[in-house]
Amino acid sequence: MADKLAIEKVSHVFAGDNRRAPLRVLDDVSFSARAGEFVSIIGASGSGKTTLLRVIAGLQAPTSGGVSIDGEAAAGPHRKLGVVFQRDSLWPWRTVSGNAAYGLEMRGVAKRDAAARAMKYIEMVGLGGFADYYPHQLSGGMRQRVNLARALTIEPDILLMDEPFAALDAQTREVMQLELTKIWRETGKTIVFVTHQIDEAVYLSDRVITLSARPGAVRAETAIDLPRPRDLRVKRTEAFQNYVGLLWDMIETEVMKGFRVPAGVD
Ligand SMILES: Nc1ncnc2c1ncn2[C@@H]1O[C@H](COP(=O)(O)OP(=O)(O)O)[C@@H](O)[C@H]1O
Ligand SMILES: [Mg+2]
């Protein structure tokens, strides 16, 4: 069986102008994801993670290389893909229901039908009682739940997530990680998840792709062989910490290359 998603030799250079030299951001990136697999991409700030996700989402044409879905070359936004970005991108004048239904409406589904179909996912992300709330009436964690519901409502096979929990406090973030693994199990989606938080990647993933410093190239692929389902206590086990240590060492080396001074990731 073909991979669900394949990234094939993707390189990207942002063109320069009379003030700026061209910037090589991605260098020959290849990896794939099987149907139902949870793959994370980690890398230092500026290593090209967001650019890579935008290429996969069909929002940015790469300079070379390409993406295929179910064995077919994909160009431009694809109906099998849903995206959740780091910044919540909710419409302030739409309710939770209206926001969650938005993607379906864009696909030509009538408003009432779209709202009815969105309800299943609003409930799945734990916002059943908040369908008629507006974004300003929600916490940051709740707003990211709405973003997730919106991506799920179009029923994509593949969910792309770019640091979706980065702006959340530590406790909310952990709750969201736990709930995302539940939703992933329930829906069988293929997920590509970008983060710079190493423990988040280890906790969530079947496999972690580590990018080098810019230009981002695949430095390593690490299978995370921890039993599932994983509750949050797995983070305190030695096996878990060993994975975190291994990935930290790789990332740290790359961060140093980028800045040539000791620095954290991001
Ligand atoms: N539209 C753009 N035009 C020019 N440079 C860009 C653009 N988007 C991102 N970059 C640059 O590409 C590099 C990688 O950015 P990004 O993909 O956002 O990295 P990451 O998500 O890993 O932090 C950065 O140096 C950034 O400044
Ligand atoms: Mg980014």
Side-chain angles (χ1 to χ4, degrees), residues 167-198:
L168 306 179
D169 64 80
Q171 287 85 31
T172 306
R173 188 179 182 120
E174 297 227 308
V175 171
M176 294 299 286
Q177 291 167 359
L178 180 65
E179 295 203 3
L180 179 60
T181 60
K182 284 189 187 152
I183 290 168
W184 169 67
R185 288 174 68 84
E186 222 169 286
T187 58
K189 304 284 176 207
T190 306
I191 299 186
V192 178
F193 188 99
V194 163
T195 181
H196 66 260
Q197 194 125 342
I198 292 166

Side-chain angles (χ1 to χ4, degrees), residues 198-259:
I198 292 166
D199 74 320
E200 178 166 85
V202 173
Y203 173 71
L204 294 171
S205 309
D206 296 319
R207 205 147 44 87
V208 177
I209 314 280
T210 304
L211 293 186
S212 66
R214 194 181 63 231
V218 176
R219 166 89 207 275
E221 283 197 30
T222 311
I224 307 297
D225 191 13
L226 295 169
R228 294 202 189 256
R230 296 174 190 163
D231 66 26
L232 290 165
R233 274 171 301 187
V234 75
K235 294 188 179 187
R236 294 198 291 271
T237 65
E238 196 182 333
F240 184 92
Q241 289 303 329
N242 287 343
Y243 282 119
V244 172
L246 177 82
L247 295 172
W248 247 114
D249 288 345
M250 278 192 269
I251 292 286
E252 193 177 32
T253 314
E254 295 304 326
V255 172
M256 303 282 257
K257 269 190 218 162
F259 295 98

Side-chain angles (χ1 to χ4, degrees), residues 46 49-51 86 162-163 194:
K49 303 182 296 297
T50 293
T51 307
Q86 174 170 358
D162 189 2
E163 308 214 31
V194 163

Side-chain angles (χ1 to χ4, degrees), residues 48-156:
K49 303 182 296 297
T50 293
T51 307
L52 177 57
L53 216 72
R54 287 176 51 79
V55 167
I56 300 173
L59 300 170
Q60 169 76 60
T63 309
S64 63
V67 174
S68 52
I69 297 173
D70 289 326
E72 282 178 30
H78 196 285
R79 66 185 168 76
K80 289 181 184 165
L81 286 173
V83 190
V84 180
F85 293 106
Q86 174 170 358
R87 266 173 303 202
D88 86 56
S89 45
L90 302 177
W91 303 117
W93 59 87
R94 280 184 167 232
T95 61
V96 166
S97 169
N99 271 288
Y102 181 74
L104 279 182
E105 289 177 29
M106 290 297 99
R107 290 180 182 201
V109 177
K111 253 191 163 126
R112 281 175 71 117
D113 292 348
R117 281 165 62 181
M119 203 56 214
K120 171 179 169 188
Y121 295 101
I122 292 170
E123 277 164 13
M124 189 181 285
V125 302
L127 291 180
F130 297 89
D132 58 359
Y133 277 54
Y134 286 88
H136 76 271
Q137 298 170 316
L138 305 174
S139 69
M142 291 162 94
R143 284 199 294 272
Q144 274 309 47
R145 288 171 193 263
V146 182
N147 273 325
L148 180 56
R150 177 165 63 189
L152 289 168
T153 296
I154 58 168
E155 304 194 329

